[in-house]
Amino acid sequence: MLAEMRIQGLGVIDEATLHLHSGLTVVTGETGAGKTMVVTGLHLLSGGRAESSRVRAGAERTVVEGRFRVEGTGGAAKVAADVGAEPDEDGSLIAVRTVNADGRSRAHLGGRSVPIGVLGQLAEQALAVHGQNDQLRLLRAGEQRIVLDRFAGEPVLAPLAEYRRVRAEWLGVAQELRRRTEQAEEFAREAGILRHGLTEIEALDPQPGEDEELVEEARRLADVDQLRGSALGAQLALTGAADGDPDQPGALGMLGEARRRLTGADDARLRELEPRLAEAIAVLVDVGAELGGYLDRLDADPARLERVLSRQAELKALTRKYAADIDGVLAWAAQARERLSLVDGSDETLGELARRREALETELAEHAERVGAARVAAAVELGEAVSAELAGLAMASARIEVGVTRRPAVPADEAALLLDGQRVHAGPDGVDEVELRLISHEGAPALPVQKGASGGELSRVMLALEVVLADSDPVPTMVFDEVDAGVGGRAAVEVGRRLARLAVSHQVVVVTHLPQVAAYADRHLVVHKGSGSGITSSSVRTVNEEDRVVELARMLAGMDSTETGRAHAEELLSVAARDRASFGTGR
């Protein structure tokens, strides 16, 4: 809840502190005193649009500070935690909005500078401001649907969530089918090119690194005579002449002779070198064996060379078209297969997409019917509940009907859905249109509220809705600005009674000009207008019971100085106190 609000330099208010009650707080004052600045301050605290024209004349800035009592870890507490805002020593959360005279605006939450939008997120969890603009929004069909869904709760919200999930997939599949159909010719051309390339590559079946291996093998086959000469020469150097010619001794023979000489030496140091010669001889024997094996395998094979050269030519045909080497060709083939799956415009693919779209459409229609049925059931309950409230607001002969109809699809509607033989528009919130209709008296036609309700009646309809929806509204604080516009007499008393009843479960702040409403307050704030140095200046103070009688008498057509006016005010307070006691207010 909002425990306190401080205003500096806003409109006619120089500086004021408002201590708000957890139940019903009313704000009154003479016309022009600045009552609406309280609501303007709350709008700023809720992240609303900042206007430099609201900055008090002569002031550098407007500052609005609110102290919220936040409980638990959800809602407003989570918003604060997400931005690292720190609670005050008493656990409350301080929100500050500053608007400079040049129009620049800043926001702080829990001692931290935050984007303006964070205050908006906080307000969504903490308070709801209702004024004349909200009544105008109530005239929109979309807002009336939101009211019905809010009243219905899970019976509508659960199937609506499934409807939205299926609708998103349905639209995606329909869009893909439409795209593939429209681009079928272009896709067919691209798919043909991709298939031709894959056919060429798959026919040759190249292996990773095969082109490099063929280059090495072709070089070896082409240079077989030169390679044989090199291998034989190396072998001869190791083993010596085949006929034992002493003029061509081999390395092995020379090392063997050196080893014998060292072995027969009398010097131990020379004999120590013999094992190293033995190691060298062993290495040369291994090399000689490998050279022999190489020579055995090194046979000239012109047929094999021809096959290798032919394979190289085939692979070069691929590398000229698709990549620099065979590994690149294989990568191109992998990408081509993936792309082919996306551009395949074949009848089979289109048919599969069409079947998927039809299946999703059937599922979507089922969810839409469940949402609609839940809305129709809730509409009956909401209409009866609001009508009962209107009876208590001096509109006993009036009734509210909540109509739920399906919205027809236009001819070129891409989100058209067939339900019971009718093409309807499947919007993000379902296929239903919701309309609040007022039957002003017995026998009168049911007219949309925007056509059938006067300004005062519309205010009462909105208040009745808020009372009915109170249990389903998670926002702890409700603010009403001139909700009693166009209301008077007995209806005004009933408005006060309903607001007090609403204050049993919510914190309620009301800006009012009606004494009948103000009499029901748990706390009464009065905005006083004064002047100094030619500049109007207003302040806000909490009035005690005696001053409250004076204020109510003033509101009774300026009767604050008469005994009759005061007696009337005292009677109002007495009646209101009995009513509040009957349903548990006055906390």
Side-chain angles (χ1 to χ4, degrees):
M1 60 166 277
L2 180 61
E4 182 179 289
M5 184 170 73
R6 188 166 64 90
I7 300 173
Q8 289 180 305
L10 179 60
V12 296
I13 297 179
D14 182 17
E15 183 167 356
T17 300
L18 288 71
H19 298 281
L20 305 176
H21 195 275
S22 59
L24 175 60
T25 300
V26 299
V27 181
T28 65
E30 296 181 6
T31 302
K35 298 189 299 294
T36 57
M37 289 300 102
V38 174
V39 177
T40 300
L42 287 168
H43 273 296
L44 289 173
L45 210 55
S46 303
R49 180 181 176 184
E51 297 180 6
S52 59
S53 59
R54 295 292 190 182
V55 178
R56 178 174 168 77
E60 294 182 359
R61 66 183 65 87
T62 288
V63 180
V64 181
E65 180 180 307
R67 182 163 60 86
F68 293 87
R69 288 179 183 161
V70 179
E71 298 179 358
T73 58
K78 184 177 185 305
V79 172
D82 288 345
V83 296
E86 295 289 340
D88 213 358
E89 293 179 356
D90 61 356
S92 59
L93 192 63
I94 305 297
V96 182
R97 181 75 181 277
T98 304
V99 183
N100 293 337
D102 60 6
R104 288 181 298 173
S105 175
R106 296 180 63 188
H108 291 79
L109 183 63
R112 296 181 67 91
S113 178
V114 296
I116 304 297
V118 171
L119 294 188
Q121 296 172 21
L122 178 72
E124 287 178 4
Q125 304 295 328
L127 61 91
V129 182
H130 302 282
Q132 297 295 325
N133 289 336
D134 298 275
Q135 293 181 26
L136 294 176
R137 284 203 300 272
L138 185 61
L139 304 182
R140 304 172 191 161
E143 289 294 325
Q144 295 175 13
R145 179 195 53 72
I146 290 172
V147 166
L148 177 60
D149 289 356
R150 179 176 150 200
F151 174 78
E154 277 302 300
V156 166
L157 299 180
L160 182 58
E162 284 300 298
Y163 166 89
R164 286 171 174 159
R165 178 188 63 79
V166 175
R167 178 180 180 270
E169 187 177 355
W170 172 63
L171 290 176
V173 170
Q175 182 180 8
E176 180 66 12
L177 177 59
R178 186 167 53 253
R179 182 180 69 86
R180 286 178 181 266
T181 302
E182 291 172 352
Q183 300 178 352
E185 185 177 342
E186 178 185 341
F187 283 168
R189 207 165 35 243
E190 183 179 356
I193 294 172
L194 294 174
R195 288 196 193 95
H196 176 74
L198 288 172
T199 300
E200 275 193 318
I201 295 170
E202 289 167 0
L204 292 177
D205 190 24
Q207 300 302 310
E210 183 182 359
D211 50 346
E212 296 180 0
E213 294 174 2
L214 289 173
V215 168
E216 180 64 24
E217 186 177 1
R219 186 190 62 76
R220 190 168 58 250
L221 289 170
D223 298 339
V224 65
D225 292 336
Q226 180 182 349
L227 294 173
R228 181 178 287 108
S230 298
L232 283 172
Q235 190 179 47
L236 181 61
L238 284 175
T239 62
D243 57 2
D245 186 350
D247 294 332
Q248 293 185 0
L252 285 171
M254 296 176 70
L255 286 174
E257 178 62 23
R259 183 184 179 192
R260 285 191 299 274
R261 290 179 179 275
L262 293 177
T263 303
D266 293 333
D267 191 337
R269 292 182 64 185
L270 288 177
R271 289 195 301 272
E272 289 175 358
L273 297 176
E274 184 273 334
R276 292 166 65 183
L277 287 177
E279 291 176 7
I281 291 170
V283 170
L284 291 181
V285 168
D286 288 342
V287 173
E290 290 184 21
L291 285 171
Y294 179 84
L295 287 168
D296 291 340
R297 294 190 300 272
L298 193 61
D299 292 330
D301 188 351
R304 174 57 185 167
L305 178 59
E306 184 177 349
R307 289 195 300 273
V308 168
L309 293 176
S310 176
R311 179 65 172 174
Q312 279 186 310
E314 292 173 343
L315 296 184
K316 282 181 181 178
L318 295 180
T319 56
R320 280 197 299 268
K321 288 184 179 181
Y322 304 109
D325 54 27
I326 289 302
D327 288 348
V329 170
L330 293 173
W332 182 93
Q335 294 170 1
R337 291 187 190 96
E338 183 177 353
R339 176 61 181 164
L340 190 60
S341 67
L342 299 176
V343 302
D344 186 3
S346 65
D347 292 341
E348 181 181 349
T349 302
L350 294 177
E352 183 179 345
L353 283 171
R355 288 189 293 273
R356 179 61 181 154
R357 181 192 60 183
E358 291 170 4
L360 288 169
E361 188 168 322
T362 299
E363 185 179 357
L364 184 64
E366 293 172 356
H367 289 307
E369 287 178 342
R370 278 197 286 271
V371 172
R375 280 176 173 158
V376 169
V380 174
E381 295 180 19
L382 179 60
E384 292 175 350
V386 175
S387 296
E389 287 298 326
L390 290 179
L393 290 170
M395 293 177 66
S397 59
R399 286 190 298 113
I400 283 289
E401 283 186 355
V402 184
V404 180
T405 57
R406 289 172 177 171
R407 179 181 173 184
V410 298
D413 196 341
E414 294 181 352
L417 191 64
L418 190 64
L419 283 180
D420 300 329
Q422 178 189 8
R423 289 180 75 253
V424 296
H425 174 71
D429 300 306
V431 301
D432 307 307
E433 289 184 318
V434 176
E435 185 177 65
L436 294 179
R437 303 169 188 148
L438 175 67
I439 302 173
S440 58
H441 55 83
E442 199 68 37
L447 297 175
V449 290
Q450 59 265 39
K451 294 181 180 178
S454 65
E457 288 173 334
L458 189 59
S459 296
R460 280 178 276 178
V461 169
M462 181 176 141
L463 179 58
L465 280 168
E466 287 299 340
V467 172
V468 169
L469 295 172
D471 291 338
S472 60
D473 198 331
V475 177
T477 301
M478 293 184 177
V479 182
F480 294 92
D481 180 22
E482 303 289 356
V483 71
D484 48 20
V487 178
R490 178 186 168 193
V493 174
E494 295 299 336
V495 168
R497 185 175 287 129
R498 291 306 184 279
L499 288 169
R501 199 171 86 195
L502 190 59
V504 173
S505 57
H506 293 70
Q507 180 187 35
V508 180
V509 180
V510 181
V511 176
T512 183
H513 65 282
L514 292 179
Q516 297 95 325
V517 172
Y520 281 86
D522 296 302
R523 179 164 296 160
H524 191 154
L525 306 179
V526 179
V527 181
H528 288 280
K529 180 170 64 174
S531 62
S533 304
I535 300 177
T536 299
S537 178
S538 294
S539 60
V540 181
R541 66 183 181 90
T542 303
V543 293
N544 56 28
E545 287 302 311
E546 182 178 347
D547 290 339
R548 194 175 178 194
V549 171
V550 174
E551 173 64 9
L552 291 180
R554 179 199 65 75
M555 297 172 72
L556 289 163
M559 300 172 66
D560 52 313
S561 60
T562 67
E563 289 299 324
T564 302
R566 295 190 179 201
H568 193 178
E570 289 172 351
E571 183 180 0
L572 275 176
L573 288 170
S574 177
V575 170
R578 286 197 300 271
D579 284 341
R580 288 163 53 210
S582 69
F583 42 76
T585 59
R587 35 181 186 166

